[in-house]
Amino acid sequence: MYVSSPAPRAGQGRKPPLTVHHLNQLLLVCSLVLLVAVAAVRISSRSGLPSLLVYLGIGVLMGQDGIGDIHFNNAEMTQVMGYAALVVILAEGGLGTKWKEIRPALASASVLALAGVTISVGVTAAGAHYLVGLEWRQALIIGAVVSSTDAAAVFSVLRKIPLPARVTGTLEAESGFNDAPVVILVVAFCVTGPVEHWYVLLGEIALELAIGAAIGLAVGWFGSWGLKHVALPASGLYPIAVMAIAVTAYAAGALAHGSGFLAVYLASMMLGNARLPHWPATRGFAEGVGWIAQIGMFVLLGLLVTPHELGDDIWPALVIGLVLTMVARPLSVVLSLAPFRVPWPEQALMSWAGLRGAVPIILATIPMVNGVDGSRRIFNIVFVLVVVYTLIQGPTLPWLARTLRLGEQGEASDLGIESAPLERLRGHLLSISIPEGSRMHGVEVNELRLPPGAAVTLVVRDGKSFVPLPTTVLRHGDELLVVATDPVRDAAERRLRAVAHGGKLAGWLGTNGAGAGR
């Protein structure tokens, strides 16, 4: 096996061809990295840290200042691979986004992703210019780069925290929407510097977003219709088809000079809410591909950084990050959500939950590829900023949610189990935990008054499981397994949420769960 390479220059020897032995070595290294990264998922899940930090650390250890001593400085390749990984991550995030959760928050998330980004860019750039001394072009680039919340970080952290649906929906939709305008701004600042006619840039952003949204919705609708009406010969083809449709949306949007990132997110969201055949298997496949994309992207970004060059950029990164976290993000949330009358505790949590991840680091490679003066320093500042503030924000987010009393009780989560009879019956398996403070404690199973077609089939208590009787009294710490048919799935979840908030008399007291968490 050979790989073509440019002709050697005078005085240089021809590079040896890539052989099967080299391929075997490469596969061994890649498989070992994947195994270590998969094991690291357990560490990140138990510590509450986004997996980004673990994978970046693996890349740094493999780099030229680490034990691997791998010298890698190809920013263009990193950018291309990062874009490809981001497409997969956005597709996985869109497939897991529930329309019923983000629909009430769609308007607020859109404003936060557009107006909020604009405010954040301006405030952060001003801080970088006046406090750190960066010239305006570099300051604007950094402001745009770090104003995008990272989809992978948001999805990985928020889906482990039982937050109200309005908060989760707003943050997830924002992280899916705001990549598109930020990419456009970063490219514009890298090519032309500060834009003289700002209204022209805003018009271009609006046009690209409109094109991307139209293509994403169209591809998602036609793709879901086709998968429902075309019987594929093997169930394993459905996950591949779904991911292929999502990538098609990105490619079509980008080729039409629209926002491919917005297109892939919207198309995936439509596919994820279309109740496609073999959906549990498709969801599991998308999660696996998303993990591989995250691992590869973060390790590659860790390889690109040179740790011994970061010393002079630590203090500027901390200052800019402080402005971003304590001023720019809260201000953008407060001003953007003012028309929607969002409660102050929810605004405080959204301000702190503006997690940064690999997306800003990927965007920081754009000025490097375009040859912007000081681009390496921009990359180093962004890298330090993301690592430090993710280390602070990620683990403290659950604590802040509890302090603000925003933990959602009685929230049911679907269990993705691939079962042909269950799929034919259009059934759902729901998992519910009874935390401290839940008014479901002390309620008998028959007092839950679940709608016909839903039933508690299993209770796990103190590590032991049993089939409950109608008179079984539920306790704190119990985990319930509920089976519900498709028509009553949402009604069963609303009833469980109502009992968790209002107790066994929730219906008579006017607490039906319909508005809980929204």
Side-chain angles (χ1 to χ4, degrees), residues 307-372:
H308 72 263
E309 296 179 354
L310 299 178
D312 295 336
D313 299 317
I314 293 178
W315 177 247
L318 294 178
V319 173
I320 295 173
L322 190 63
V323 173
L324 171 68
T325 305
M326 305 306 296
V327 182
R329 174 66 181 182
L331 188 63
S332 65
V333 169
V334 171
L335 295 181
S336 300
L337 300 183
F340 303 98
R341 298 181 180 179
V342 178
W344 285 110
E346 295 184 8
Q347 291 192 38
L349 186 67
M350 292 183 194
S351 299
W352 191 248
L355 301 177
R356 272 74 195 173
V359 172
I361 305 177
I362 293 173
L363 297 180
T365 63
I366 296 178
M368 296 174 67
V369 174
N370 286 273
V372 176

Short mmCIF file of all heavy atoms in Angstrom, two decimals, residues 307-372:
data_model
loop_
_atom_site.label_atom_id
_atom_site.label_comp_id
_atom_site.label_asym_id
_atom_site.label_seq_id
_atom_site.Cartn_x
_atom_site.Cartn_y
_atom_site.Cartn_z
N PRO A 307 2.29 22.96 24.79
CA PRO A 307 2.15 23.44 26.18
C PRO A 307 3.21 24.44 26.62
O PRO A 307 2.90 25.39 27.35
CB PRO A 307 2.23 22.14 27.00
CG PRO A 307 1.74 21.08 26.08
CD PRO A 307 2.23 21.48 24.72
N HIS A 308 4.47 24.27 26.18
CA HIS A 308 5.51 25.19 26.68
C HIS A 308 5.35 26.60 26.12
O HIS A 308 6.02 27.53 26.58
CB HIS A 308 6.90 24.64 26.36
CG HIS A 308 7.28 24.71 24.91
ND1 HIS A 308 7.14 23.64 24.05
CD2 HIS A 308 7.81 25.72 24.17
CE1 HIS A 308 7.57 23.99 22.84
NE2 HIS A 308 7.99 25.24 22.90
N GLU A 309 4.47 26.79 25.12
CA GLU A 309 4.22 28.12 24.58
C GLU A 309 3.07 28.84 25.27
O GLU A 309 2.77 29.99 24.93
CB GLU A 309 3.92 28.02 23.08
CG GLU A 309 5.08 27.49 22.23
CD GLU A 309 4.72 27.40 20.76
OE1 GLU A 309 3.54 27.64 20.44
OE2 GLU A 309 5.60 27.09 19.94
N LEU A 310 2.40 28.17 26.21
CA LEU A 310 1.18 28.73 26.79
C LEU A 310 1.45 29.69 27.95
O LEU A 310 0.55 30.41 28.36
CB LEU A 310 0.27 27.59 27.29
CG LEU A 310 -0.21 26.59 26.24
CD1 LEU A 310 -1.06 25.52 26.91
CD2 LEU A 310 -1.00 27.29 25.15
N GLY A 311 2.67 29.69 28.48
CA GLY A 311 2.95 30.46 29.69
C GLY A 311 2.58 31.92 29.60
O GLY A 311 1.93 32.47 30.50
N ASP A 312 2.97 32.59 28.50
CA ASP A 312 2.73 34.03 28.37
C ASP A 312 1.26 34.35 28.10
O ASP A 312 0.87 35.53 28.19
CB ASP A 312 3.58 34.61 27.24
CG ASP A 312 5.07 34.52 27.54
OD1 ASP A 312 5.42 34.46 28.74
OD2 ASP A 312 5.88 34.49 26.58
N ASP A 313 0.46 33.34 27.75
CA ASP A 313 -0.94 33.60 27.38
C ASP A 313 -1.93 33.18 28.46
O ASP A 313 -3.14 33.30 28.26
CB ASP A 313 -1.27 32.85 26.08
CG ASP A 313 -0.40 33.30 24.92
OD1 ASP A 313 -0.20 34.52 24.78
OD2 ASP A 313 0.07 32.43 24.16
N ILE A 314 -1.43 32.70 29.59
CA ILE A 314 -2.34 32.27 30.65
C ILE A 314 -3.08 33.46 31.25
O ILE A 314 -4.31 33.44 31.40
CB ILE A 314 -1.57 31.50 31.74
CG1 ILE A 314 -1.05 30.17 31.17
CG2 ILE A 314 -2.45 31.26 32.96
CD1 ILE A 314 -0.22 29.37 32.16
N TRP A 315 -2.34 34.51 31.60
CA TRP A 315 -2.99 35.68 32.22
C TRP A 315 -3.98 36.35 31.27
O TRP A 315 -5.12 36.63 31.69
CB TRP A 315 -1.93 36.66 32.70
CG TRP A 315 -2.49 37.93 33.28
CD1 TRP A 315 -2.41 39.17 32.76
CD2 TRP A 315 -3.26 38.04 34.47
NE1 TRP A 315 -3.06 40.08 33.56
CE2 TRP A 315 -3.60 39.41 34.63
CE3 TRP A 315 -3.70 37.14 35.43
CZ2 TRP A 315 -4.36 39.87 35.69
CZ3 TRP A 315 -4.46 37.60 36.50
CH2 TRP A 315 -4.78 38.96 36.62
N PRO A 316 -3.65 36.63 30.00
CA PRO A 316 -4.67 37.19 29.09
C PRO A 316 -5.89 36.29 28.96
O PRO A 316 -7.03 36.77 28.89
CB PRO A 316 -3.92 37.32 27.76
CG PRO A 316 -2.49 37.44 28.14
CD PRO A 316 -2.33 36.57 29.35
N ALA A 317 -5.68 34.97 28.93
CA ALA A 317 -6.81 34.05 28.80
C ALA A 317 -7.72 34.13 30.02
O ALA A 317 -8.96 34.11 29.89
CB ALA A 317 -6.30 32.62 28.61
N LEU A 318 -7.13 34.22 31.22
CA LEU A 318 -7.94 34.32 32.43
C LEU A 318 -8.74 35.61 32.47
O LEU A 318 -9.91 35.61 32.87
CB LEU A 318 -7.03 34.23 33.67
CG LEU A 318 -6.31 32.89 33.88
CD1 LEU A 318 -5.41 32.97 35.11
CD2 LEU A 318 -7.31 31.74 34.01
N VAL A 319 -8.12 36.71 32.04
CA VAL A 319 -8.82 38.01 32.04
C VAL A 319 -9.98 37.99 31.04
O VAL A 319 -11.11 38.38 31.35
CB VAL A 319 -7.85 39.15 31.72
CG1 VAL A 319 -8.60 40.47 31.55
CG2 VAL A 319 -6.80 39.28 32.83
N ILE A 320 -9.70 37.54 29.81
CA ILE A 320 -10.75 37.50 28.78
C ILE A 320 -11.86 36.53 29.20
O ILE A 320 -13.05 36.81 29.03
CB ILE A 320 -10.15 37.09 27.43
CG1 ILE A 320 -9.17 38.16 26.95
CG2 ILE A 320 -11.26 36.88 26.39
CD1 ILE A 320 -8.41 37.77 25.69
N GLY A 321 -11.48 35.39 29.77
CA GLY A 321 -12.48 34.44 30.23
C GLY A 321 -13.33 34.99 31.35
O GLY A 321 -14.54 34.71 31.43
N LEU A 322 -12.74 35.79 32.24
CA LEU A 322 -13.50 36.41 33.32
C LEU A 322 -14.52 37.40 32.76
O LEU A 322 -15.67 37.44 33.21
CB LEU A 322 -12.55 37.10 34.29
CG LEU A 322 -13.15 37.59 35.60
CD1 LEU A 322 -13.67 36.43 36.42
CD2 LEU A 322 -12.12 38.40 36.40
N VAL A 323 -14.10 38.19 31.77
CA VAL A 323 -15.03 39.13 31.13
C VAL A 323 -16.16 38.37 30.44
O VAL A 323 -17.34 38.74 30.54
CB VAL A 323 -14.28 40.01 30.11
CG1 VAL A 323 -15.27 40.86 29.31
CG2 VAL A 323 -13.27 40.91 30.81
N LEU A 324 -15.80 37.29 29.75
CA LEU A 324 -16.80 36.50 29.04
C LEU A 324 -17.80 35.86 30.01
O LEU A 324 -19.02 35.93 29.79
CB LEU A 324 -16.11 35.41 28.22
CG LEU A 324 -17.00 34.36 27.57
CD1 LEU A 324 -17.85 34.97 26.48
CD2 LEU A 324 -16.16 33.21 27.02
N THR A 325 -17.29 35.26 31.07
CA THR A 325 -18.14 34.48 31.98
C THR A 325 -18.96 35.35 32.91
O THR A 325 -20.13 35.05 33.17
CB THR A 325 -17.26 33.52 32.81
OG1 THR A 325 -16.46 32.72 31.94
CG2 THR A 325 -18.12 32.61 33.68
N MET A 326 -18.36 36.42 33.42
CA MET A 326 -19.03 37.23 34.44
C MET A 326 -19.74 38.46 33.90
O MET A 326 -20.58 39.04 34.60
CB MET A 326 -18.00 37.66 35.51
CG MET A 326 -17.23 36.50 36.13
SD MET A 326 -18.31 35.21 36.82
CE MET A 326 -19.11 36.13 38.14
N VAL A 327 -19.41 38.88 32.67
CA VAL A 327 -20.03 40.09 32.12
C VAL A 327 -20.76 39.80 30.81
O VAL A 327 -21.97 40.02 30.70
CB VAL A 327 -18.97 41.20 31.91
CG1 VAL A 327 -19.66 42.47 31.37
CG2 VAL A 327 -18.23 41.50 33.19
N ALA A 328 -20.02 39.31 29.81
CA ALA A 328 -20.59 39.16 28.47
C ALA A 328 -21.74 38.15 28.44
O ALA A 328 -22.82 38.44 27.91
CB ALA A 328 -19.50 38.77 27.49
N ARG A 329 -21.51 36.95 28.98
CA ARG A 329 -22.55 35.93 28.95
C ARG A 329 -23.79 36.33 29.76
O ARG A 329 -24.91 36.24 29.24
CB ARG A 329 -21.97 34.59 29.43
CG ARG A 329 -23.00 33.48 29.59
CD ARG A 329 -23.58 33.05 28.25
NE ARG A 329 -24.59 32.00 28.44
CZ ARG A 329 -25.24 31.41 27.46
NH1 ARG A 329 -25.01 31.76 26.20
NH2 ARG A 329 -26.13 30.48 27.70
N PRO A 330 -23.65 36.76 31.02
CA PRO A 330 -24.85 37.18 31.75
C PRO A 330 -25.59 38.33 31.08
O PRO A 330 -26.82 38.35 31.04
CB PRO A 330 -24.30 37.60 33.13
CG PRO A 330 -23.04 36.84 33.27
CD PRO A 330 -22.46 36.78 31.89
N LEU A 331 -24.83 39.30 30.54
CA LEU A 331 -25.48 40.44 29.88
C LEU A 331 -26.25 39.99 28.64
O LEU A 331 -27.37 40.45 28.39
CB LEU A 331 -24.43 41.49 29.51
CG LEU A 331 -24.97 42.83 28.99
CD1 LEU A 331 -25.80 43.52 30.05
CD2 LEU A 331 -23.81 43.72 28.56
N SER A 332 -25.67 39.09 27.86
CA SER A 332 -26.35 38.60 26.67
C SER A 332 -27.60 37.82 27.04
O SER A 332 -28.64 37.91 26.34
CB SER A 332 -25.40 37.73 25.84
OG SER A 332 -25.03 36.56 26.54
N VAL A 333 -27.55 37.06 28.12
CA VAL A 333 -28.73 36.30 28.55
C VAL A 333 -29.83 37.23 29.03
O VAL A 333 -31.01 37.10 28.64
CB VAL A 333 -28.35 35.30 29.67
CG1 VAL A 333 -29.59 34.68 30.30
CG2 VAL A 333 -27.46 34.20 29.10
N VAL A 334 -29.48 38.20 29.87
CA VAL A 334 -30.48 39.11 30.43
C VAL A 334 -31.15 39.94 29.34
O VAL A 334 -32.38 40.06 29.29
CB VAL A 334 -29.83 40.03 31.49
CG1 VAL A 334 -30.80 41.12 31.92
CG2 VAL A 334 -29.41 39.21 32.71
N LEU A 335 -30.36 40.52 28.43
CA LEU A 335 -30.93 41.36 27.39
C LEU A 335 -31.71 40.54 26.36
O LEU A 335 -32.77 40.98 25.90
CB LEU A 335 -29.82 42.15 26.69
CG LEU A 335 -29.07 43.18 27.56
CD1 LEU A 335 -28.01 43.90 26.75
CD2 LEU A 335 -30.05 44.18 28.17
N SER A 336 -31.22 39.36 26.02
CA SER A 336 -31.89 38.55 25.01
C SER A 336 -33.20 37.97 25.52
O SER A 336 -34.17 37.84 24.77
CB SER A 336 -30.98 37.42 24.54
OG SER A 336 -29.79 37.91 23.97
N LEU A 337 -33.25 37.60 26.79
CA LEU A 337 -34.44 36.95 27.34
C LEU A 337 -35.40 37.92 28.01
O LEU A 337 -36.42 37.49 28.55
CB LEU A 337 -34.02 35.88 28.35
CG LEU A 337 -33.13 34.74 27.80
CD1 LEU A 337 -32.85 33.73 28.90
CD2 LEU A 337 -33.79 34.07 26.61
N ALA A 338 -35.09 39.22 27.97
CA ALA A 338 -35.96 40.21 28.61
C ALA A 338 -37.39 40.15 28.08
O ALA A 338 -38.35 40.23 28.86
CB ALA A 338 -35.37 41.61 28.44
N PRO A 339 -37.63 39.99 26.76
CA PRO A 339 -39.02 39.95 26.29
C PRO A 339 -39.78 38.69 26.68
O PRO A 339 -41.01 38.66 26.55
CB PRO A 339 -38.86 40.03 24.76
CG PRO A 339 -37.47 40.50 24.51
CD PRO A 339 -36.67 39.98 25.65
N PHE A 340 -39.09 37.67 27.16
CA PHE A 340 -39.75 36.38 27.41
C PHE A 340 -40.07 36.15 28.89
O PHE A 340 -40.62 35.11 29.24
CB PHE A 340 -38.85 35.24 26.90
CG PHE A 340 -38.51 35.37 25.45
CD1 PHE A 340 -37.30 35.90 25.03
CD2 PHE A 340 -39.42 34.97 24.47
CE1 PHE A 340 -36.99 36.04 23.68
CE2 PHE A 340 -39.12 35.09 23.13
CZ PHE A 340 -37.90 35.63 22.73
N ARG A 341 -39.72 37.09 29.75
CA ARG A 341 -40.05 37.03 31.18
C ARG A 341 -39.60 35.71 31.81
O ARG A 341 -40.36 35.03 32.50
CB ARG A 341 -41.56 37.22 31.38
CG ARG A 341 -42.06 38.58 30.91
CD ARG A 341 -43.54 38.74 31.14
NE ARG A 341 -44.01 40.04 30.69
CZ ARG A 341 -45.29 40.44 30.75
NH1 ARG A 341 -46.20 39.62 31.25
NH2 ARG A 341 -45.63 41.63 30.32
N VAL A 342 -38.36 35.36 31.55
CA VAL A 342 -37.78 34.16 32.14
C VAL A 342 -37.41 34.47 33.59
O VAL A 342 -36.82 35.51 33.88
CB VAL A 342 -36.54 33.71 31.35
CG1 VAL A 342 -35.90 32.49 31.99
CG2 VAL A 342 -36.91 33.41 29.89
N PRO A 343 -37.77 33.59 34.53
CA PRO A 343 -37.44 33.85 35.94
C PRO A 343 -35.94 34.04 36.15
O PRO A 343 -35.12 33.44 35.45
CB PRO A 343 -37.96 32.60 36.66
CG PRO A 343 -39.02 32.04 35.76
CD PRO A 343 -38.56 32.36 34.36
N TRP A 344 -35.60 34.85 37.15
CA TRP A 344 -34.19 35.16 37.42
C TRP A 344 -33.36 33.93 37.74
O TRP A 344 -32.21 33.84 37.30
CB TRP A 344 -34.09 36.20 38.54
CG TRP A 344 -34.46 37.57 38.12
CD1 TRP A 344 -35.57 38.28 38.48
CD2 TRP A 344 -33.73 38.42 37.22
NE1 TRP A 344 -35.58 39.51 37.86
CE2 TRP A 344 -34.45 39.63 37.08
CE3 TRP A 344 -32.54 38.28 36.52
CZ2 TRP A 344 -34.04 40.67 36.28
CZ3 TRP A 344 -32.11 39.33 35.71
CH2 TRP A 344 -32.85 40.51 35.60
N PRO A 345 -33.85 32.97 38.52
CA PRO A 345 -33.02 31.78 38.76
C PRO A 345 -32.65 31.04 37.47
O PRO A 345 -31.52 30.56 37.33
CB PRO A 345 -33.90 30.91 39.67
CG PRO A 345 -34.79 31.88 40.36
CD PRO A 345 -35.07 32.95 39.35
N GLU A 346 -33.59 30.95 36.54
CA GLU A 346 -33.30 30.28 35.27
C GLU A 346 -32.30 31.09 34.45
O GLU A 346 -31.43 30.52 33.78
CB GLU A 346 -34.59 30.05 34.48
CG GLU A 346 -35.56 29.09 35.16
CD GLU A 346 -36.78 28.80 34.33
OE1 GLU A 346 -36.81 29.23 33.15
OE2 GLU A 346 -37.71 28.15 34.82
N GLN A 347 -32.41 32.42 34.47
CA GLN A 347 -31.43 33.25 33.76
C GLN A 347 -30.04 33.09 34.37
O GLN A 347 -29.03 33.05 33.63
CB GLN A 347 -31.86 34.71 33.81
CG GLN A 347 -33.10 35.03 33.00
CD GLN A 347 -33.33 36.52 32.84
OE1 GLN A 347 -32.38 37.29 32.66
NE2 GLN A 347 -34.58 36.94 32.88
N ALA A 348 -29.98 32.99 35.69
CA ALA A 348 -28.67 32.81 36.34
C ALA A 348 -28.05 31.49 35.92
O ALA A 348 -26.84 31.42 35.64
CB ALA A 348 -28.84 32.87 37.86
N LEU A 349 -28.85 30.43 35.87
CA LEU A 349 -28.31 29.13 35.47
C LEU A 349 -27.87 29.13 34.01
O LEU A 349 -26.82 28.59 33.66
CB LEU A 349 -29.35 28.04 35.70
CG LEU A 349 -28.85 26.61 35.47
CD1 LEU A 349 -27.80 26.25 36.52
CD2 LEU A 349 -29.99 25.61 35.50
N MET A 350 -28.68 29.76 33.13
CA MET A 350 -28.30 29.84 31.72
C MET A 350 -27.02 30.65 31.53
O MET A 350 -26.22 30.34 30.65
CB MET A 350 -29.44 30.47 30.91
CG MET A 350 -30.69 29.62 30.80
SD MET A 350 -31.93 30.41 29.76
CE MET A 350 -33.38 29.44 30.17
N SER A 351 -26.84 31.66 32.36
CA SER A 351 -25.61 32.46 32.26
C SER A 351 -24.39 31.62 32.61
O SER A 351 -23.35 31.72 31.95
CB SER A 351 -25.69 33.67 33.20
OG SER A 351 -26.78 34.51 32.85
N TRP A 352 -24.51 30.78 33.62
CA TRP A 352 -23.38 29.96 34.05
C TRP A 352 -23.21 28.74 33.15
O TRP A 352 -22.12 28.17 33.07
CB TRP A 352 -23.57 29.54 35.49
CG TRP A 352 -22.36 28.92 36.12
CD1 TRP A 352 -22.20 27.62 36.50
CD2 TRP A 352 -21.11 29.57 36.42
NE1 TRP A 352 -20.95 27.42 37.04
CE2 TRP A 352 -20.26 28.61 37.00
CE3 TRP A 352 -20.64 30.88 36.26
CZ2 TRP A 352 -18.96 28.91 37.42
CZ3 TRP A 352 -19.36 31.18 36.69
CH2 TRP A 352 -18.54 30.20 37.25
N ALA A 353 -24.28 28.32 32.48
CA ALA A 353 -24.23 27.10 31.67
C ALA A 353 -23.81 27.36 30.22
O ALA A 353 -23.97 26.48 29.38
CB ALA A 353 -25.61 26.42 31.66
N GLY A 354 -23.25 28.52 29.94
CA GLY A 354 -22.73 28.77 28.60
C GLY A 354 -21.39 28.09 28.41
O GLY A 354 -20.34 28.75 28.34
N LEU A 355 -21.40 26.77 28.33
CA LEU A 355 -20.17 25.99 28.31
C LEU A 355 -19.43 26.13 26.98
O LEU A 355 -20.05 26.10 25.91
CB LEU A 355 -20.49 24.51 28.57
CG LEU A 355 -21.18 24.21 29.90
CD1 LEU A 355 -21.50 22.73 30.00
CD2 LEU A 355 -20.33 24.66 31.08
N ARG A 356 -18.13 26.28 27.08
CA ARG A 356 -17.27 26.28 25.90
C ARG A 356 -16.58 24.93 25.81
O ARG A 356 -16.27 24.31 26.82
CB ARG A 356 -16.22 27.39 25.96
CG ARG A 356 -16.69 28.71 25.39
CD ARG A 356 -17.68 29.40 26.29
NE ARG A 356 -18.40 30.49 25.62
CZ ARG A 356 -19.40 31.14 26.17
NH1 ARG A 356 -19.81 30.83 27.37
NH2 ARG A 356 -20.01 32.11 25.51
N GLY A 357 -16.29 24.50 24.60
CA GLY A 357 -15.66 23.20 24.42
C GLY A 357 -14.73 23.23 23.24
O GLY A 357 -13.97 24.18 23.03
N ALA A 358 -14.81 22.19 22.43
CA ALA A 358 -13.89 22.08 21.30
C ALA A 358 -14.23 23.04 20.17
O ALA A 358 -13.35 23.39 19.38
CB ALA A 358 -13.90 20.65 20.77
N VAL A 359 -15.49 23.47 20.06
CA VAL A 359 -15.86 24.35 18.95
C VAL A 359 -15.04 25.64 18.94
O VAL A 359 -14.50 26.02 17.90
CB VAL A 359 -17.38 24.66 19.00
CG1 VAL A 359 -17.74 25.73 17.98
CG2 VAL A 359 -18.18 23.40 18.72
N PRO A 360 -14.90 26.36 20.07
CA PRO A 360 -14.03 27.55 20.03
C PRO A 360 -12.59 27.24 19.63
O PRO A 360 -11.96 28.03 18.91
CB PRO A 360 -14.10 28.09 21.46
CG PRO A 360 -15.39 27.59 22.00
CD PRO A 360 -15.57 26.24 21.38
N ILE A 361 -12.07 26.09 20.08
CA ILE A 361 -10.69 25.75 19.73
C ILE A 361 -10.59 25.45 18.23
O ILE A 361 -9.61 25.83 17.57
CB ILE A 361 -10.20 24.55 20.55
CG1 ILE A 361 -10.36 24.83 22.04
CG2 ILE A 361 -8.73 24.26 20.26
CD1 ILE A 361 -9.97 23.67 22.93
N ILE A 362 -11.60 24.79 17.68
CA ILE A 362 -11.61 24.54 16.23
C ILE A 362 -11.68 25.86 15.47
O ILE A 362 -10.95 26.08 14.49
CB ILE A 362 -12.81 23.64 15.85
CG1 ILE A 362 -12.62 22.25 16.42
CG2 ILE A 362 -12.96 23.56 14.34
CD1 ILE A 362 -13.83 21.35 16.25
N LEU A 363 -12.56 26.76 15.92
CA LEU A 363 -12.69 28.05 15.24
C LEU A 363 -11.40 28.86 15.35
O LEU A 363 -11.11 29.70 14.48
CB LEU A 363 -13.86 28.83 15.83
CG LEU A 363 -15.25 28.22 15.66
CD1 LEU A 363 -16.32 29.10 16.28
CD2 LEU A 363 -15.56 27.97 14.19
N ALA A 364 -10.62 28.62 16.41
CA ALA A 364 -9.36 29.34 16.56
C ALA A 364 -8.32 28.91 15.54
O ALA A 364 -7.29 29.59 15.38
CB ALA A 364 -8.81 29.14 17.98
N THR A 365 -8.57 27.80 14.83
CA THR A 365 -7.66 27.41 13.76
C THR A 365 -7.92 28.18 12.47
O THR A 365 -7.07 28.19 11.57
CB THR A 365 -7.78 25.90 13.46
OG1 THR A 365 -9.11 25.61 12.99
CG2 THR A 365 -7.49 25.09 14.70
N ILE A 366 -9.08 28.83 12.36
CA ILE A 366 -9.40 29.58 11.14
C ILE A 366 -8.40 30.72 10.91
O ILE A 366 -7.87 30.88 9.80
CB ILE A 366 -10.85 30.10 11.17
CG1 ILE A 366 -11.82 28.91 11.18
CG2 ILE A 366 -11.14 31.01 9.99
CD1 ILE A 366 -13.28 29.31 11.25
N PRO A 367 -8.11 31.58 11.92
CA PRO A 367 -7.08 32.60 11.68
C PRO A 367 -5.71 32.02 11.40
O PRO A 367 -4.92 32.62 10.66
CB PRO A 367 -7.09 33.42 12.98
CG PRO A 367 -7.78 32.57 13.99
CD PRO A 367 -8.75 31.74 13.23
N MET A 368 -5.39 30.84 11.93
CA MET A 368 -4.10 30.22 11.64
C MET A 368 -4.03 29.81 10.17
O MET A 368 -3.01 30.02 9.50
CB MET A 368 -3.88 29.00 12.54
CG MET A 368 -3.80 29.33 14.03
SD MET A 368 -3.72 27.85 15.08
CE MET A 368 -2.10 27.22 14.61
N VAL A 369 -5.12 29.24 9.65
CA VAL A 369 -5.15 28.83 8.25
C VAL A 369 -5.11 30.04 7.33
O VAL A 369 -4.49 30.01 6.25
CB VAL A 369 -6.40 27.97 7.97
CG1 VAL A 369 -6.53 27.66 6.49
CG2 VAL A 369 -6.34 26.68 8.78
N ASN A 370 -5.74 31.16 7.75
CA ASN A 370 -5.79 32.36 6.92
C ASN A 370 -4.58 33.27 7.11
O ASN A 370 -4.51 34.32 6.48
CB ASN A 370 -7.07 33.16 7.23
CG ASN A 370 -8.31 32.52 6.64
OD1 ASN A 370 -8.67 32.77 5.50
ND2 ASN A 370 -8.98 31.69 7.42
N GLY A 371 -3.64 32.88 7.96
CA GLY A 371 -2.42 33.66 8.13
C GLY A 371 -2.60 34.98 8.83
O GLY A 371 -1.88 35.95 8.55
N VAL A 372 -3.56 35.08 9.75
CA VAL A 372 -3.79 36.32 10.49
C VAL A 372 -2.62 36.55 11.45
O VAL A 372 -2.14 35.62 12.10
CB VAL A 372 -5.13 36.25 11.25
CG1 VAL A 372 -5.33 37.50 12.11
CG2 VAL A 372 -6.28 36.09 10.26
#
